[in-house]
Amino acid sequence: MIQQASKRALFVVGPTASGKTSLAVEIALLSGGEVVSADSRQIYRFMDIGTAKPGPHEQKTVPHHMIDILPPDTVFSAGEYARLARAAIEEILARNRLPVVAGGSGLYIRALADGIFDGQYRNEALRSRLKSRLNDEGAPALHRRLAAADPDAAGRIHPNDGKRIIRALEVTALAGKPISSVQREETRAPDFEVRMVGLDWPRDVLYRRVEDRVDRMFESGLV
């Protein structure tokens, strides 16, 4: 059993179908821990088959967190995920148990392990206008606009990554300063130590695992 004083969380990461969830469950069983999902789709209710969500048996075997917490039409950000997942981890640590994070979404993992700014900076009308400009002008044009306002952010975001470009412009407009400044000034690091375990399969083996997973999804009624 983990000692609370250590304040440590174990992250199990790797590509799709690498076996993150099953390993996280096994580690939690052996260590007296609890699993925290870092999957950006398993947070939604009803989306079970196509997300490879842990089944009822796995969820009964060890406690799971951050699964089935929202209806599918809810807008949910990495910052909101980090806030809720950190709260779950703190609760697990308070019980002297090991939080085992199974992920998942790379953005969610980074937000949870490295920190992300907590400000909401969200305006649907502004985002809608930016999306219209994206459709009309293309991502590179918006990227040039971002580069003029925030060269640091533009240097990290690919010119074709429309979603991240829109988010950066949205935050910059609402915060009144570049998103890179917001990230530096408002990012809160986690209050626990992060340990990472990465799963790495040979490419041909991983492809077979992905194909097997897809076959099981169709057999389970995905269509």
Side-chain angles (χ1 to χ4, degrees):
M1 190 79 70
I2 188 173
Q3 297 301 310
Q4 184 177 356
S6 67
K7 297 277 284 185
R8 180 180 300 126
L10 180 66
F11 286 57
V12 180
V13 299
T16 296
S18 58
K20 298 181 293 295
T21 297
S22 57
L23 179 59
V25 169
E26 188 68 22
I27 292 172
L29 279 172
L30 293 173
S31 63
E34 302 181 24
V35 174
V36 179
S37 172
D39 189 283
S40 63
R41 294 296 177 265
Q42 292 180 3
I43 58 173
Y44 295 113
R45 293 190 285 272
F46 315 119
M47 298 171 62
D48 299 338
I49 300 173
T51 64
K53 189 178 295 181
H57 174 73
E58 287 177 306
Q59 294 194 46
K60 287 180 180 178
T61 301
V62 298
H64 280 68
H65 304 266
M66 301 304 292
I67 290 178
D68 289 338
I69 64 171
L70 297 169
D73 58 350
T74 303
V75 176
F76 194 65
S77 69
E80 291 166 318
Y81 167 81
R83 178 176 57 81
L84 293 177
R86 283 185 183 182
I89 287 174
E90 292 295 342
E91 291 174 2
I92 296 168
L93 289 169
R95 293 192 287 271
N96 269 351
R97 295 173 70 85
L98 174 66
V100 185
V101 179
S105 166
L107 180 59
Y108 279 19
I109 289 291
R110 289 193 297 274
L112 184 55
D114 301 332
I116 196 167
F117 62 90
D118 293 328
Q120 295 301 305
Y121 302 115
R122 189 175 294 277
N123 183 288
E124 292 302 325
L126 172 60
R127 180 172 297 191
S128 179
R129 291 196 299 272
L130 289 170
K131 286 181 178 178
S132 295
R133 292 195 63 175
L134 177 69
N135 293 332
D136 294 340
E137 303 172 22
L142 286 189
H143 189 267
R144 288 191 293 271
R145 178 178 171 183
L146 176 62
D150 189 348
D152 289 343
R156 293 193 303 269
I157 299 176
H158 192 279
N160 291 329
D161 191 344
K163 183 175 181 180
R164 292 183 65 199
I165 293 170
I166 285 176
R167 180 61 178 149
L169 290 171
E170 179 185 27
V171 173
T172 297
L174 296 176
K177 55 186 174 181
I179 186 175
S180 57
S181 298
V182 176
Q183 291 167 333
R184 283 193 300 269
E185 297 165 7
E186 301 185 22
T187 295
R188 182 175 67 86
D191 297 325
F192 48 84
E193 180 185 350
V194 172
R195 294 287 181 89
M196 292 272 186
V197 173
L199 297 175
D200 185 22
W201 293 92
R203 193 177 186 88
D204 59 331
V205 175
L206 182 62
Y207 276 29
R208 286 199 300 271
R209 292 177 63 89
V210 171
E211 290 166 357
D212 290 343
R213 169 179 285 189
V214 172
D215 288 342
R216 291 195 299 272
M217 286 180 175
F218 279 107
E219 291 168 1
S220 299
L222 179 62
V223 174

